[in-house]
């Protein structure tokens, strides 16, 4: 091996002629970072997300992920970005936790733009900043390859990396060449190989020898074990496999599947068609099943992972960026006010105009400039948030609402060290009667258009009793400047004490209040309209008390309920698709011994009918019916009615 | 069960420490011999190129990206569309550790003819030495212009596709249907006592089942296999000859041709087994070629719609195994064409005149098969008698190996020293 005076990069280059690999240890100056490479922090989806982010930062236009699902014997993540020069690789290996991005050294290495270290050379806002993201692969494996090439290089560089200590090694602490003590986190063998494709560029991270627990997790072993164990027990109500799944191997080592995949797409479908069918299947399950659509029960872990990645990565929207929605898409638009007691106002946009245009919003659909496409196992991912064609419900208000806001806060007059500098962002709150899937209820914070966390259903700790309303909300905050420092190491949570985070909490809660007021206003107006339309109808006490009770609950628009004289659920379907709750009269009304047609019996059935409708309105208004099937809903109402009738006797 | 090795620990701790790769490429193997280059250029790539120039629209422009069906390439159209600009040439291959076959195919097709997308089978592609080499080679090859980046090499045996429930079979469907299937088998399709050939036949049968349903255009099947009559499993061999015997019984000319080369008894049910055992080695080699071809044709004929299978000019050579015993290798080529025809209005009610498409009959193909098996050329002879050809091949082979990271001088020396595999 070459002299230790030589830089690692030089040694790597020398392997071109010596045809010998360079052997080196991976090290970090900090114990805590040494632990990160042990993979204690992250979930499988997070590791893939980090690799996608690295490709994005390297100005790749395309990332191809091949997972070998459902076997998961090895995973490849491959991009066509700038690649790692021996110098970048040297930095990566000897300075774990010291990202060159966003530094002058990064400009020198060519991982940051020459004139702006927060941007990639291609002009993207860099996601990376810590220098540990790559090592999140420790979640998957302790053995991986980096195969990388920069354009114009006559060689590609291969690094064969193992994490953890080598056999025979017992000490973690090592002394670096410059005398500082460091912590060993792994080993690398690096060499250069002649390349025919001089002009090509890109990086492939090949994860080998996947850890059994990761394979089990990706392969949804917990779900399949449940399915299997309950079929053993004839008494138990069978747990069925998720409706959508990638299949299951009989044994992890084997090559045979005992459950063939249940997917909404086929091999013949193009990458776009596959994703379209995937999202389509999730959306469609809102029509075939009552209640909220829950990815966790609908999909196996693998498909959930795809969905999570699609939400997290800086991708184009599946349908349309919310800022590009139009009046003619059938929504109502509002602008949020940036003041503590502000009120949302109608955003006057017409026809084919968009919020983007009228408010001059910046957040890109995908990326500025060069596209960024992510393919996973032959499927092209897009951000799967739906704004159009969502299901109708019993709500009186059916028109989706889009609340848009933007803000810049320079914290003028405050010391920068305390304020964290400027914060600038754009955001929207999208309301619809039903958000599909339920995982999209909440708010996501995006720094640089990517996101590590999933939707926060608490809306950053929103206190007020607005459960019903907030379950019908999807919100995203696109942070253009600031907040970055508030991001924790795992990139999945924030330092709540950071002023930028605090500021966003306040802003969001104000936005929620503005939304709630507007929503109430619209609901009340609709209610008044209805009352006026049915003015002649004699109002019973029951109606009033339902309306009052729901209002206390924060629900303005009383669900529409129809008692129908139909016998099958299918027949009720037509009415239901118009957004009403449909109850079959003969099913919900308990029979009595009395003869039909008598006056007494008619009155009794009439009262019972009113009560059934009121019950349904209450239960729906509270959102308690969401998890039940239509049949179960009817059964519940009938059971309650029965008890009430007993007391009446 | 204290101290038991199996149990909870299995899933927690991997069995072995990972091993690193030896980066040097200095060891040369049988497929590095010059004659393999002949097979590549003059059989596989020549036929594939003809296939491509028959059907692909050749253009200087890079196909545009919006139609992208194939990932990683600039190209694509839905697989049901007629073969045209942008449709990748999809290949099922057993490409070896360096993927030389793919490199050579790309070289010989020439750019910008069409875009190659492949699915490879390589048992050694795990996490040990060789496999790292496969990973790196796959990365290099798929980085070349003209190769789809999502092409991949599976760490599976080709035979795994024999069962429809396997992961390998899922990949088969994912990457198919194929224009070229190149089965350069390390094992043997010739039934011997030691080898389990049935699995190979089942795999090929399953492959054809898939292709017949999924593919609509012409496609090529290359099979390279050892033939070792001295170790024949005669019962199995007789079974493979069944379609040939059947054809013999039913078709006079076919029978005539066979009689000219083989004893009559071979084709009679009762005497077949005994007389197969008595065949001279050369006769067995030829008969195997015919029997295999006939077996494929019978599958094509028995499917719906039918497939016409024509043998193309093929080659053979001899490899040396233990004690320098010579064993015949056959490199066979077949072309598959689906029989599909527009409806003919025999009533004459419509004014559209459709002449039904004529496909070669099974009998014609069978006669051609006997003829071509008889005409198989020996690559070793060709190379020995054509010095110029051999040196051209050597040069392109050396270029190919150099491009894949091998030491050119060492290679040339290895060839000079007699291509001895240690
Ligand atoms: N796909 C890639 N293409 C080019 N360079 C890469 C790629 N992946 C990693 N790198 C290089 O390796 C370095 C380390 O990556 P890693 O993800 O660990 O850190 P980072 O992206 O700099 O910061 P963070 O930890 O915040 O992600 C990067 O700074 C980059 O220079
Ligand atoms: Mg990173």
């Amino acid at each position: 091996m070459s002299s230790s005076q030589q830089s690692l990069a030089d040694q790597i280059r020398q392997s071109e002629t010596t045809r010998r690999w360079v052997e080196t240890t991976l090290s970090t100056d900090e114990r805590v970072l040494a632990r990160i490479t042990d993979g204690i922090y992250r979930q499988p989806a997070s590791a893939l997300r980090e690799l996608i982010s690295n490709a994005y930062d390297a100005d790749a236009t395309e990332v191809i992920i091949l997972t070998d699902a459902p076997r998961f014997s090895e995973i490849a993540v491959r991009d066509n970005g700038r690649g790692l020069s021996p110098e970048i690789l040297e930095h990566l290996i000897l300075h774990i936790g010291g990202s060159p991005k966003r530094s002058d050294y990064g400009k020198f290495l060519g991982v940051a733009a020459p004139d702006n270290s927060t941007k990639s050379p291609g002009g993207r806002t860099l996601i990376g900043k810590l220098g540990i993201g790559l090592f999140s692969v420790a979640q998957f494996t302790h053995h991986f390859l980096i195969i990388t090439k920069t354009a114009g290089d006559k060689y590609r560089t291969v690094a064969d990396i193992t994490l953890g200590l080598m056999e025979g090694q017992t000490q973690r602490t090592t002394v670096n060449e410059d005398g500082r003590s460091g912590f060993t986190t792994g080993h690398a063998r690096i060499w250069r190989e002649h390349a025919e494709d001089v002009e090509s560029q890109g990086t492939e991270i090949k994860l080998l020898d996947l850890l059994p627990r990761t394979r089990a997790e990706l392969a949804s072993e917990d779900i399949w074990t449940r399915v299997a164990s309950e079929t053993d027990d004839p008494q138990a109500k069978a747990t069925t496999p998720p409706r959508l799944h990638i299949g299951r191997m009989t044994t992890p080592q084997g090559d045979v599947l005992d459950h063939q995949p249940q997917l909404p797409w086929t091999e013949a479908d193009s990458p776009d068609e596959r994703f379209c069918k995937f999202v389509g299947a999730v959306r469609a399950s809102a029509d075939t099943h009552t209640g909220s659509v829950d990815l966790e029960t609908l999909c196996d872990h693998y498909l959930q992972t795809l969905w999570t990645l699609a939400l997290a990565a800086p991708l184009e929207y599946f349908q349309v960026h919310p800022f590009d929605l139009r009046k003619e898409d059938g929504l109502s638009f509002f602008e949020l006010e940036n003041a503590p007691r502000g009120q949302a106002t109608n955003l006057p946009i017409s026809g084919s105009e968009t919020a983007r245009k009228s408010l001059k919003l910046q957040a890109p659909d995908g990326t500025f400039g060069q596209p960024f496409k992510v393919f996973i196992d032959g499927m092209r991912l897009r951000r799967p948030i739906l704004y159009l064609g969502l299901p109708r419900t019993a709500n009186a208000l059916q028109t989706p609402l889009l609340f848009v806001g933007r803000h810049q806060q320079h914290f003028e007059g405050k010391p920068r060290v305390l304020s964290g500098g400027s914060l600038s962002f754009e955001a929207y709150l999208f309301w619809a009667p039903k958000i599909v899937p339920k995982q999209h209820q909440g708010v996501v914070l995006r720094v640089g258009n990517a996101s590590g966390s999933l939707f926060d259903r608490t809306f950053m700790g929103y206190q007020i009793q607005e459960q019903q309303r907030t379950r019908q909300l999807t919100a995203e905050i696109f942070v253009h400047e600031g907040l970055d420092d508030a991001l924790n190491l795992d990139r999945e949570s924030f330092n709540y004490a950071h002023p930028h985070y605090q500021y966003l909490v306040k802003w969001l809660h104000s936005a929620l209040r503005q939304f709630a007021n507007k929503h109430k206003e619209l609901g009340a107006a609709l209610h008044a309209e209805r009352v006026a339309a049915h003015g002649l109808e004699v109002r019973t006490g029951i109606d009033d008390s339902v309306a009052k009770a729901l209002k206390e609950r924060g629900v303005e628009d009383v669900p529409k309920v129809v008692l129908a004289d139909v016998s099958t659920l299918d027949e009720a379907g037509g009415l239901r698709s118009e957004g009403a709750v449909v109850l079959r009269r003969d099913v919900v009304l308990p029979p009595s011994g009395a003869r039909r047609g008598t006056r007494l019996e008619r009155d009794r059935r009439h009262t019972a009918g009113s009560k059934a409708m009121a019950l349904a309105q209450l239960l729906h208004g509270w959102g308690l019916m969401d998890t039940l099937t239509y049949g179960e809903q009817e059964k519940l109402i009938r059971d309650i009615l029965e008890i009430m009738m007993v007391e009446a006797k | 069960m204290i101290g038991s090795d199996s149990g909870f620990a299995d899933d927690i701790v991997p069995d072995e420490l990972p091993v690193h790769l030896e980066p040097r490429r200095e060891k040369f193997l049988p497929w590095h011999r010059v004659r393999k280059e002949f097979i590549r250029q003059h059989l596989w790539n020549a036929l594939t190129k003809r296939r491509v120039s028959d059907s692909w629209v050749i253009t200087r422009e890079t196909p545009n990206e919006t139609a992208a069906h194939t990932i990683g390439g600039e190209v694509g159209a839905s697989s049901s569309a007629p073969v045209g600009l942008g449709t990748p040439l999809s290949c099922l291959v057993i490409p070896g550790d360096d993927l030389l076959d793919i490199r050579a195919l790309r070289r010989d097709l020439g750019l910008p003819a069409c875009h190659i997308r492949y699915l490879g089978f390589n048992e050694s592609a795990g996490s040990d030495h060789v496999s790292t080499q496969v990973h790196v080679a796959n990365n290099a090859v798929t980085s070349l212009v003209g190769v789809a980046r999502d092409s991949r090499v599976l760490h599976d045996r080709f035979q795994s596709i024999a069962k429809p429930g396997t992961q390998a079979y899922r990949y088969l469907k994912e990457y198919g249907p194929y224009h070229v299937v190149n089965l350069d088998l390390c094992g043997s399709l010739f039934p011997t006592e030691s080898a389990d050939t049935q699995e190979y036949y089942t795999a090929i049968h399953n492959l054809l089942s898939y292709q017949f349903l999924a593919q609509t255009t012409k496609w090529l099947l290359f099979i390279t296999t050892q033939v070792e009559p001295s170790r024949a499993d005669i019962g199995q061999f007789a079974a493979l000859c069944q379609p040939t015997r059947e054809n013999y019984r039913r078709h006079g000319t076919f029978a005539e041709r066979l009689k000219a080369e083989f004893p009559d008894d071979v084709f009679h049910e009762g005497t077949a087994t005994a007389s197969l055992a008595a065949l001279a080695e050369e006769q067995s080699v030829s008969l195997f070629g015919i029997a295999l071809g006939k077996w494929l044709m019978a599958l094509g004929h028995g499917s719906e719609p039918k497939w016409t299978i024509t043998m193309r000019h093929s080659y053979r050579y001899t490899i040396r195994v233990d004690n320098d015993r010579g064993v015949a290798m056959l490199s066979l080529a077949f072309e598959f064409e689906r029989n599909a025809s527009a409806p003919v209005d025999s009533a004459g009610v419509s004014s559209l005149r459709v002449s039904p498409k004529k496909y070669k009959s099974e009998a014609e193909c069978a006669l051609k098969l006997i003829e071509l098996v008889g005409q198989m050329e020996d690559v070793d002879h060709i190379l020995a008698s054509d010095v110029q050809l051999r040196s051209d091949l050597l040069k392109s082979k050396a270029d190919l190996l150099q491009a894949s990271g091998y030491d050119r001088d060492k290679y040339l020396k290895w060839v000079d020293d007699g291509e001895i595999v240690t």
Side-chain angles (χ1 to χ4, degrees), chain A residues 301-317:
Chain A
H301 295 332
Y302 168 76
L303 294 174
Q304 288 177 51
T305 301
L306 300 194
W307 197 277
T308 305
L309 288 175
L311 280 176
L315 302 173
E316 280 166 34
Y317 284 77

Side-chain angles (χ1 to χ4, degrees), chain A residues 50-51 54-55 57-58 79 81-84 88 92 99-101 111 127-135 148 203 205 491:
Chain A
E50 289 300 327
L51 299 182
N54 283 347
D57 285 352
D79 66 55
R82 287 174 204 281
L84 291 89
I88 297 177
L92 163 77
S99 175
K101 290 173 189 167
V111 301
I127 300 172
K129 60 170 178 167
L130 301 167
I132 55 171
L134 180 63
F135 292 95
T148 186
T203 302
I205 310 288
R491 239 195 290 274

